[in-house]
Amino acid sequence: MSARLRGYAIFAAVALLVLVVAPAVLPPFRLDELAKYLCFAIAALGIGLAWGQGGMLTLGQGVFFGLGGYAMAMYLKLHDAGGDLPDFMTWSGVEKLPALWKPFADPAFAIAMVVVLPVAIATLLGLLVFRQRVRGAYFAILTQALAAAFTILLVGRQGLTGGTNGLTNFYDFFGRDPEADGTQRLTYFVTAGVLGVLYLAARQLVKSRFGRLLVAVRDGEDRVRFLGYNPATVKTVAFAVSAGMAGIAGALFVPVVGIISPSLLGVVPSLELVVAVAVGGRYALAGAVLGAVVMNYAKTSFSEQWAGGWLYLEGALFILVMTLAPKGAVGLYEQARDALARRRRTPEPAAPAPQQETQEVPA
């Protein structure tokens, strides 16, 4: 079987597992947990595109995740308020709806902003940074600082963003009860479907001419520049696409979990996404998705029993993977597969021919 057919077969098997088997065997609570993991997988897919394919270590993906989440949450809060002020604004002493909130009463505008806001900010940041040839650790630190500043901004504007508590208590999701089992199953299928579509789109992008150029920029940016291409444009486009994916993930996260708050968007959540991508395999898009699902499941399971030590375990795992297995779990699988294929192709050495015994002739 060719590599292309094998890839489609694996994708079909995973789709069957996610769309048919999981909803049939998992209770509503566990299915909702899996939907949350799939939201993180969408954000991790963007990191896999930017970091794994483009070499841009982004430690602030939580910013774009939060922009998409808050855009969706603002619409839901205004819809629940029915023309009045959202409940948290009333508690905070706000007497008039801020101008920033008014356009989000339109669902079409809010859904558009889920993608437009992250893409616009990522594009602006990319044009400013990549043209100055900022890369490597400097770019990573810059995105991390952006995540920290964004969190401080959200916490400090209680009347505008809900402060530390964020936005929660949603009672209507496009005419459906968010807490109903039917709605939770619907959001699960929507999340899984969006992840599948974005994965196929990202895979097609990687295999395109732009994808090959992006990998060339990762491996030798100066050489690409000498060939007449502009690496800043290539990196900006990839960075903006990854930001748009994070925005979509944040928007889906709101109805799945029922909350969006600064604690979900800061430096630590952004680092956890990077760790998940590294563990799964940053050079493969499937590895980024796999790492996000497995790591978040492990976080849920282990943190319940070892709440104070999970972050240490996660940090140690990241260090071990980056030093001993830079290509992650997918890289280890590929190495084992290639070794097995070489072993099958190598013929076994022929057994030596038996030597005939010479009989002595008596004198």
Side-chain angles (χ1 to χ4, degrees):
M1 182 184 294
S2 64
R4 184 175 182 180
L5 292 178
R6 184 169 58 248
Y8 284 125
I10 294 175
F11 179 83
V14 173
L16 180 66
L17 178 65
V18 173
L19 296 177
V20 178
V21 177
V25 301
L26 293 179
F29 174 76
R30 294 303 177 187
L31 191 66
D32 199 40
E33 286 285 307
L34 181 56
K36 182 176 70 172
Y37 304 155
L38 296 182
C39 291
F40 290 128
I42 295 174
L45 181 64
I47 296 178
L49 181 65
W51 182 31
Q53 305 300 317
M56 295 168 283
L57 178 56
T58 169
L59 301 180
Q61 207 74 353
V63 174
F64 310 118
F65 186 91
L67 288 172
Y70 271 89
M72 177 60 69
M74 289 166 71
Y75 162 73
L76 295 178
K77 293 299 291 184
L78 290 173
H79 181 71
D80 290 341
D84 298 329
L85 288 176
D87 49 10
F88 75 93
M89 289 187 181
T90 304
W91 305 333
S92 302
V94 178
E95 299 180 355
K96 183 179 179 181
L97 185 67
L100 178 64
W101 275 70
K102 292 181 180 179
F104 288 90
D106 183 5
F109 179 84
I111 293 175
M113 288 300 103
V114 164
V115 178
V116 171
L117 279 177
V119 169
I121 292 179
T123 301
L124 178 61
L125 180 63
L127 292 175
L128 293 175
V129 171
F130 296 137
R131 285 185 177 180
Q132 301 299 322
R133 302 186 183 181
V134 177
R135 53 188 174 183
Y138 300 101
F139 175 75
I141 293 173
L142 179 63
T143 55
Q144 188 179 47
L146 180 64
F150 184 61
T151 303
I152 294 173
L153 177 64
L154 293 175
V155 172
R157 302 302 301 271
Q158 173 71 35
L160 187 65
T161 64
T164 306
N165 296 326
L167 303 181
T168 185
N169 297 328
F170 307 111
Y171 303 106
D172 186 275
F173 179 65
F174 294 95
R176 303 177 67 97
D177 180 11
E179 301 295 332
D181 291 343
T183 304
Q184 292 180 354
R185 290 180 67 87
L186 176 62
T187 54
Y188 169 81
F189 283 114
V190 170
T191 304
V194 170
L195 174 59
V197 171
L198 291 179
Y199 173 79
L200 292 177
R203 189 170 182 269
Q204 187 64 31
L205 181 65
V206 169
K207 292 183 176 297
S208 67
R209 183 172 179 268
F210 175 83
R212 294 192 294 270
L213 185 59
L214 180 62
V215 173
V217 170
R218 179 197 68 190
D219 296 338
E221 183 173 335
D222 294 332
R223 292 184 180 182
V224 173
R225 184 178 294 106
F226 293 151
L227 291 174
Y229 295 98
N230 187 357
T233 302
V234 177
K235 295 169 74 173
T236 299
V237 171
F239 186 48
V241 172
S242 70
M245 291 182 180
I248 295 173
L252 293 171
F253 183 86
V254 171
V256 168
V257 181
I259 186 175
I260 189 74
S261 67
S263 63
L264 300 168
L265 327 171
V267 174
V268 173
S270 299
L271 289 174
E272 288 179 343
L273 283 173
V274 172
V275 172
V277 173
V279 171
R282 62 189 175 105
Y283 295 111
L285 297 177
V289 174
L290 175 65
V293 174
V294 172
M295 286 296 293
N296 281 281
Y297 172 76
K299 177 183 177 181
T300 301
S301 301
F302 292 134
S303 61
E304 294 175 355
Q305 303 176 3
W306 195 27
W310 165 247
L311 290 179
Y312 297 101
L313 177 62
E314 192 174 35
L317 183 61
F318 178 70
I319 295 173
L320 289 175
V321 168
M322 294 303 295
T323 54
L324 302 179
K327 293 185 178 181
V330 172
L332 293 176
Y333 163 76
E334 292 176 348
Q335 291 177 3
R337 183 193 62 193
D338 295 341
L340 182 60
R342 287 194 299 268
R343 184 177 179 181
R344 290 176 176 176
R345 289 196 301 265
T346 303
E348 295 183 359
Q355 296 181 355
Q356 295 182 355
E357 296 183 358
T358 59
Q359 297 182 355
E360 295 183 358
V361 179

